[in-house]
Amino acid sequence: MSELFKKKYDRTPSDKRDRVPPGQYVTEKFPVLHYGDVPTYHDVENEWDLRVWGEIEAPARFSFAEFRALPTMTITTDIHCVTRWSKLDTRWEGVQFREFLKHIPPLKPSARYVMAHCEHGFTTNVPLDVLLDDDALLAYKYEGEELTPEHGYPLRLLTPRKYFWKSAKWLRGIEFMAEDRPGFWERYGYNNNADPWKEERYAEE
Ligand SMILES: Nc1nc2c(c(=O)[nH]1)N[C@H]1C(S)=C(S)[C@@H](COP(=O)(O)O)O[C@H]1N2
Ligand SMILES: [Mo]
């Protein structure tokens, strides 16, 4: 363990340490991490939409206003970044992924994986069953406020059971797939499964 890491780790309150996966330290900050530029929207109703395609009976599209009309829920959860920071008790509001499925055409039985497609070509893959968990959200509020541009405005995926790179910011598309396919970081050596509790940071050699 490096000295710097140990110092940060030791700051985690002892009553919260069992909530921190191996090799992680707790931060009170909310670091911003991504590849490429932050997209800006001047007229979100015309410049943004959410498209759904792949293993589904028919493709679908939501404008900003249509998406915002869907029922929402709020969850409080811990997030874990592969660069070793964890943040506890973060509060998010958005459309539960399971709920979202009720508002799109039926999935084909072959649908087993999802590719999240983002602005500027970022992608990440997640098994469909992970997105059926209670805490998988299409999130647009953080701590009661609209997401800031750097944290994913107007919409991000939230899959807190996986390392945070799978919580795709600036979401524009959801592709249902029959076979798994690696996303952006998954192609560059990150672990496909990305379970923080198993420390699945990098791909097997
Ligand atoms: N579109 C997009 N989403 C992304 C990324 C990215 O590069 N592009 N980076 C991921 C990574 S590596 C992390 S750790 C989290 C960081 O989210 P935050 O900046 O809100 O903390 O966003 C994830 N989502
Ligand atoms: Mo990350």
Side-chain angles (χ1 to χ4, degrees):
M1 202 186 275
S2 78
E3 272 312 299
L4 179 65
F5 179 79
K6 194 171 178 320
K7 232 191 225 161
K8 287 172 162 177
Y9 179 80
D10 286 347
R11 273 189 228 133
T12 305
S14 53
D15 60 321
K16 296 208 166 135
R17 283 195 186 167
D18 58 348
R19 286 170 59 188
V20 184
Q24 299 288 112
Y25 67 87
V26 166
T27 181
E28 299 296 324
K29 297 185 203 129
F30 192 5
V32 170
L33 274 167
H34 53 258
Y35 180 81
D37 295 333
V38 175
T40 49
Y41 302 93
H42 304 287
D43 175 6
V44 77
E45 187 60 42
N46 285 309
E47 293 169 348
W48 181 91
D49 64 4
L50 180 69
R51 286 176 188 271
V52 181
W53 71 92
E55 302 297 307
I56 185 168
E57 293 300 332
R61 174 189 180 267
F62 292 81
S63 71
F64 181 80
E66 286 165 342
F67 191 83
R68 294 292 164 124
L70 298 176
T72 68
M73 66 172 279
T74 300
I75 64 164
T76 299
T77 190
D78 303 341
I79 55 180
H80 310 293
C81 175
V82 73
T83 62
R84 298 185 182 273
W85 57 268
S86 289
K87 190 167 171 58
L88 305 182
D89 299 316
T90 59
R91 190 159 55 90
W92 304 84
E93 183 181 343
V95 181
Q96 194 180 38
F97 196 86
R98 227 164 44 206
E99 171 70 30
F100 180 69
L101 294 183
K102 297 180 194 163
H103 302 271
I104 59 175
L107 301 186
K108 294 185 178 168
S110 50
R112 287 184 52 218
Y113 298 91
V114 167
M115 187 70 81
H117 293 263
C118 304
E119 211 73 68
H120 306 326
F122 182 87
T123 54
T124 188
N125 55 314
V126 187
L128 180 58
D129 61 2
V130 171
L131 295 177
L132 300 180
D133 283 341
D134 295 343
D135 55 4
L137 236 59
L138 298 165
Y140 54 81
K141 284 191 179 177
Y142 173 74
E143 300 297 343
E145 307 276 347
E146 193 72 38
L147 284 179
T148 59
E150 4 2 300
H151 288 297
Y153 175 83
L155 186 68
R156 77 181 297 167
L157 185 63
L158 182 73
T159 58
R161 291 178 200 217
K162 300 294 184 183
Y163 280 124
F164 206 38
W165 85 75
K166 290 198 185 267
S167 290
K169 303 193 278 193
W170 314 301
L171 188 64
R172 293 297 304 272
I174 297 171
E175 178 188 2
F176 293 95
M177 312 188 291
E179 306 286 339
D180 199 11
R181 221 166 72 215
F184 181 86
W185 288 119
E186 293 82 5
R187 275 198 305 274
Y188 286 99
Y190 283 82
N191 188 287
N192 196 53
N193 196 47
D195 182 343
W197 293 97
K198 296 184 186 156
E199 265 206 279
E200 292 171 330
R201 295 176 194 276
Y202 308 107
E204 307 285 316
E205 290 298 299

